[in-house]
Amino acid sequence: MTNIIKKQTGAAFRIKKGQRLKVTDPEGQQVSDMVLFNAEDTREKISSGKTLDFEESILISRGNFLWSNRSRKMMEILEDTNGRNDFLLAPCSPETFQIMYNNPHYHPSCFENLYTNLSQYDIAPDDIPTAFNIFMNVQFDKNGKLSVDPPLSKPGDFVLFEAKMDLIVALTACSAEDSNNGSFKPILYEVMD
Amino acid sequence: MTNIIKKQTGAAFRIKKGQRLKVTDPEGQQVSDMVLFNAEDTREKISSGKTLDFEESILISRGNFLWSNRSRKMMEILEDTNGRNDFLLAPCSPETFQIMYNNPHYHPSCFENLYTNLSQYDIAPDDIPTAFNIFMNVQFDKNGKLSVDPPLSKPGDFVLFEAKMDLIVALTACSAEDSNNGSFKPILYEVMD
C-alpha cells in the first residue's frame, strides 16, 4: 500500500526488522527528512556522526548503512535511483526560517512535523537528531562551504531501505523553500515484507 | 589556572556565560573532543547539524558559532591558531575500535571519557551528541570520501571559545590512534573571566 505524505506534513510509523521501506518523490525536486528510533528503546536513534564515521563518506547512498548512536546498523540502502542525499544539516525548524530566511511569521517545518508525529511514541522535540535528508542536494566545495541546491530527483525517483532492527520511522515532505526549489510537493512511502 | 587532561582521559566542568575557554595542544598532533550542554537544562546540547546549517560550512573555526539543538548560540570561536577542527565524526567509542580497528579488546575511548565525566551532571551515555573535534584533521574529497589524517596542530596551538550561555563542558584527550598520528598526548584547558 502506498501512503501519501501531503506537502509540508509528516508521518510516523513502525516497521519490523527485515521489512523494506520505499520512499518516493512523485513529482521531483522534493526532499524528505527521515529519523529512526529503535522501537524497543527509543534512546537508541539514528546518528549522522556514527554513520559518516563507519561509512567513511559524507555522501550516503546505495550499499551504505544508517547507524545508531549505539554503533548498530539501523537500515541498509538497497537502491537509490537519484543518488544524492544529505546527512549534514539539521531538519528545518521554526528558527531556520527566522534566522536564515529572516521570516518572523509562523512557517511549517520538518522539525515540527517530526515531533508532532513522534509524540505518539513519547518522543520529545529535544530527542530528535539530525535527520537523513533524502533527495536533499547539499553541495560542498573543497573549503567546506555548503550550499543548498535544488534537488536532482526526477518524478518517480526513490530510495529503498531495509530495516536491520525493529524501528520507529518518521518522514516528512520538507517545508523549506530553498531545499525544494521553491515549491512544496508530496512524498510517498510504502512498507513491504 | 591551566588544567591538564592526561593522555586518553577526559574532564567535565561548568563555565558561565561570558567566560572564555582556551583549549591547547601542548605537544602537537593531539585531538580533543568537546561536547556542550546548557547548564540549566541539559536536554539542550551542542548540535553538529544546526551548526553546519547556520554557519553554512563543514569547517568551523574563528568567527563561527557552535549552536544547540534548540537553535541557540552556545559558544563563539574567538581565536584558532591551527584552523582545522572536525564536526562530522562521532567520538571514538568501544565499537570504533572493534569495527574500524578490528580490535576485540578493551580500548580507552572519547565516548567513555565523556560519559564517565558527565555522569556527575546526570548526563547518560545515550545523551552524548556528535562532538566538536578540536584539532582533528578530517579531509574530504569532492565525492565526499572521508579520511582521518594526522592533526596539523603544532605544540602550543590553541582554540579560544567564549560561552554564550551557562554551560557544562566535557573535553577529552582523544584515545584513537588514527586521529592522533599514533601517539597519545595530553590536552590543556583554561577558563578565564
Side-chain angles (χ1 to χ4, degrees):
Chain A
M1 186 184 81
T2 299
N3 304 277
I4 300 172
I5 301 174
K6 292 181 182 171
K7 67 177 183 180
Q8 295 188 300
T9 71
F13 50 92
R14 295 178 69 125
I15 69 173
K16 290 266 184 204
K17 178 179 177 176
Q19 286 188 312
R20 289 169 299 147
L21 170 68
K22 183 179 181 180
V23 180
T24 301
D25 176 1
E27 301 180 20
Q29 297 195 319
Q30 176 60 45
V31 169
S32 177
D33 279 15
M34 180 172 78
V35 291
L36 306 173
F37 297 84
N38 176 347
E40 304 305 316
D41 182 351
T42 58
R43 293 172 302 181
E44 182 171 12
K45 63 184 78 167
I46 190 170
S47 167
S48 59
K50 280 293 181 191
T51 300
L52 270 53
D53 202 359
F54 288 132
E55 300 300 321
E56 300 181 294
S57 178
I58 293 174
L59 300 178
I60 301 296
S61 182
R62 182 179 168 181
N64 290 123
F65 294 88
L66 303 178
W67 293 76
S68 79
N69 58 327
R70 294 183 189 166
S71 297
R72 301 199 305 156
K73 293 173 179 174
M74 303 191 94
M75 278 182 160
E76 179 178 359
I77 301 180
L78 301 179
E79 295 185 55
D80 182 356
T81 65
N82 174 51
R84 189 90 192 186
N85 311 292
D86 171 65
F87 212 173
L88 298 174
L89 304 186
C92 63
S93 67
E95 299 83 3
T96 307
F97 299 100
Q98 293 159 16
I99 296 170
M100 303 192 78
Y101 288 73
N102 204 22
N103 175 0
H105 305 295
Y106 172 79
H107 193 293
S109 66
C110 285
F111 186 68
E112 181 184 5
N113 287 325
L114 291 169
Y115 77 71
T116 54
N117 282 284
L118 285 166
S119 65
Q120 65 184 301
Y121 300 108
D122 290 328
I123 293 168
D126 283 327
D127 299 329
I128 293 175
T130 296
F132 185 61
N133 304 309
I134 305 165
F135 310 123
M136 188 169 181
N137 181 16
V138 176
Q139 296 287 335
F140 45 87
D141 68 17
K142 64 182 168 61
N143 298 316
K145 179 77 183 163
L146 294 170
S147 60
V148 178
D149 290 359
L152 302 169
S153 49
K154 300 173 297 297
D157 270 335
F158 67 88
V159 182
L160 183 66
F161 304 91
E162 182 178 296
K164 310 307 279 184
M165 63 173 73
D166 293 355
L167 292 170
I168 295 164
V169 179
L171 285 171
T172 69
C174 175
S175 298
E177 283 79 351
D178 286 354
S179 300
N180 303 291
N181 202 18
S183 70
F184 305 114
K185 292 137 284 179
I187 285 288
L188 309 181
Y189 73 92
E190 188 175 0
V191 178
M192 297 170 284
D193 287 324
Chain B
M1 188 185 80
T2 299
N3 303 278
I4 301 172
I5 301 174
K6 292 180 182 171
K7 68 177 182 180
Q8 295 188 302
T9 71
F13 51 90
R14 295 178 69 125
I15 67 172
K16 290 267 183 203
K17 178 178 177 178
Q19 285 188 311
R20 289 168 299 147
L21 170 68
K22 184 178 180 181
V23 180
T24 301
D25 177 0
E27 300 180 19
Q29 297 196 321
Q30 176 60 45
V31 169
S32 177
D33 280 15
M34 181 173 77
V35 291
L36 306 173
F37 297 84
N38 176 348
E40 304 306 316
D41 181 351
T42 58
R43 293 172 301 181
E44 182 170 11
K45 63 184 79 165
I46 190 170
S47 167
S48 59
K50 280 294 182 190
T51 300
L52 271 53
D53 202 358
F54 288 131
E55 300 300 321
E56 299 181 293
S57 178
I58 293 173
L59 299 179
I60 301 296
S61 182
R62 182 180 167 180
N64 291 125
F65 293 89
L66 303 178
W67 293 76
S68 79
N69 58 327
R70 294 184 188 165
S71 296
R72 299 199 307 155
K73 293 172 180 174
M74 302 190 93
M75 276 182 162
E76 180 178 358
I77 301 181
L78 301 180
E79 295 186 55
D80 182 355
T81 64
N82 174 51
R84 190 90 191 185
N85 311 292
D86 172 64
F87 212 174
L88 298 174
L89 304 186
C92 62
S93 67
E95 299 82 4
T96 307
F97 299 99
Q98 293 160 17
I99 295 171
M100 303 192 78
Y101 288 73
N102 203 23
N103 175 0
H105 305 294
Y106 172 77
H107 194 293
S109 66
C110 285
F111 186 68
E112 181 184 5
N113 287 325
L114 291 170
Y115 77 70
T116 54
N117 282 284
L118 285 166
S119 65
Q120 65 184 302
Y121 301 108
D122 290 328
I123 293 168
D126 283 327
D127 298 329
I128 292 174
T130 295
F132 185 62
N133 304 308
I134 304 165
F135 309 123
M136 188 170 181
N137 182 15
V138 176
Q139 296 286 336
F140 46 88
D141 68 17
K142 64 183 169 56
N143 298 315
K145 179 77 181 163
L146 295 170
S147 60
V148 177
D149 290 359
L152 301 169
S153 48
K154 300 174 295 301
D157 270 335
F158 67 89
V159 182
L160 182 66
F161 304 91
E162 182 178 297
K164 310 306 278 186
M165 63 174 72
D166 292 356
L167 293 170
I168 295 164
V169 179
L171 286 170
T172 70
C174 176
S175 298
E177 282 80 352
D178 287 355
S179 300
N180 304 292
N181 202 18
S183 70
F184 306 114
K185 292 136 285 179
I187 285 288
L188 309 182
Y189 72 93
E190 187 175 0
V191 178
M192 296 170 284
D193 286 324

